[in-house]
Amino acid sequence: NAGVTQTPKFRVLKTGQSMTLLCAQDMNHEYMYWYRQDPGMGLRLIHYSVGEGTTAKGEVPDGYNVSRLKKQNFLLGLESAAPSQTSVYFCASSRRDTLVGNQPQHFGDGTRLSIL
Amino acid sequence: AQSVSQHNHHVILSEAASLELGCNYSYGGTVNLFWYVQYPGQHLQLLLKYFSGDPLVKGIKGFEAEFIKSKFSFNLRKPSVQWSDTAEYFCAARGGSQGNLIFGKGTKLSVKP
């Protein structure tokens, strides 16, 4: 099993360009997440999805859009890239939370995105 | 607002030293707690988790953490660190069963051989 796969691994964009980051998981997880990781900031949740066809805003959603057309894929889009979006982006997935809510998240290897 | 605090930004230890990384959370009710580790150039991996029961949780690679409800803390410990433990450690918490995971800002651990 590949687990959580992110493509691409690296990308350099110019300000104003658009792009889509792809996250794919083969664990049949219901929940998927996009985070950005910045030095000294930890991980901040951008958007998440609790199932196919549903998405929700996280902590820092502005400037990003997402889609979950298939259960195994979660796409993160930047419509007009800005230098402030230079970051490392991590996708994660998890099983549906039980009443206990203890399901850990499985992370991809990250996408390093630089906006010039 | 719900938050997770990791007070140590960077910890430097020599091999065989003992480790304790602090984590405090601000949730009033039921909370699920996690420690993740990120080795250089790699993705985050789960070290251990707590959701109920014994407040002393044992994880992989000799790590353990203790949940102290009265102190809102979930500190990570290891009796004797190795050079291979050099990584960044993230504490995370989720309030109840439906809340999102909130991460601390991370603690970098550097272990000198």
Side-chain angles (χ1 to χ4, degrees):
Chain A
N1 283 343
V4 179
T5 303
Q6 291 182 231
T7 53
K9 296 191 184 303
F10 306 96
R11 187 71 182 267
V12 178
L13 293 177
K14 294 182 180 179
T15 297
Q17 285 185 315
S18 64
M19 81 159 295
T20 300
L21 307 185
L22 172 64
C23 177
Q25 52 93 5
D26 61 3
M27 296 172 283
N28 202 33
H29 285 170
E30 290 84 3
Y31 291 9
M32 296 187 75
Y33 315 81
W34 274 108
Y35 294 89
R36 58 178 291 173
Q37 183 183 28
D38 302 291
M41 300 292 287
L43 281 86
R44 294 180 292 171
L45 183 65
I46 304 172
H47 286 280
Y48 65 100
S49 167
V50 299
E52 183 178 329
T54 70
T55 63
K57 294 181 180 180
E59 183 185 355
V60 288
D62 294 341
Y64 305 94
N65 57 75
V66 288
S67 64
R68 183 99 181 268
L69 299 179
K70 294 182 179 180
K71 185 178 183 179
Q72 64 268 32
N73 296 337
F74 194 30
L75 279 64
L76 177 71
L78 286 73
E79 291 186 347
S80 180
S84 61
Q85 294 177 306
T86 292
S87 186
V88 180
Y89 292 86
F90 284 96
C91 176
S93 70
S94 70
R95 292 171 56 188
R96 187 194 311 274
D97 278 339
T98 64
L99 289 176
V100 178
N102 65 336
Q103 297 302 324
Q105 295 181 13
H106 299 258
F107 286 83
D109 289 340
T111 296
R112 188 172 295 276
L113 187 60
S114 295
I115 316 296
L116 305 178
Chain B
Q2 299 165 340
S3 66
V4 175
S5 300
Q6 292 180 245
H7 303 295
N8 305 106
H9 177 64
H10 191 185
V11 173
I12 302 173
L13 296 173
S14 297
E15 274 194 317
S18 64
L19 169 73
E20 181 160 3
L21 301 182
C23 173
N24 289 92
Y25 62 93
S26 64
Y27 287 85
T30 303
V31 64
N32 301 311
L33 297 159
F34 307 80
W35 274 99
Y36 285 86
V37 60
Q38 185 179 26
Y39 297 103
Q42 296 188 25
H43 59 266
L44 283 86
Q45 303 170 46
L46 182 69
L47 262 184
L48 47 79
K49 63 182 181 182
Y50 169 81
F51 55 96
S52 67
D54 189 342
L56 185 62
V57 180
K58 295 194 181 298
I60 60 172
K61 304 187 180 184
F63 286 91
E64 65 179 30
E66 185 175 12
F67 171 58
I68 303 179
K69 189 174 182 179
S70 61
K71 295 184 177 180
F72 296 89
S73 69
F74 189 55
N75 292 355
L76 181 71
R77 300 196 293 248
K78 186 171 183 178
S80 176
V81 295
Q82 301 173 325
W83 176 79
S84 58
D85 292 326
T86 294
E88 190 159 14
Y89 294 80
F90 293 91
C91 182
R94 174 187 290 131
S97 64
Q98 299 300 321
N100 287 320
L101 205 56
I102 305 295
F103 284 85
K105 294 184 178 181
T107 298
K108 287 187 179 178
L109 172 65
S110 299
V111 180
K112 298 182 292 184

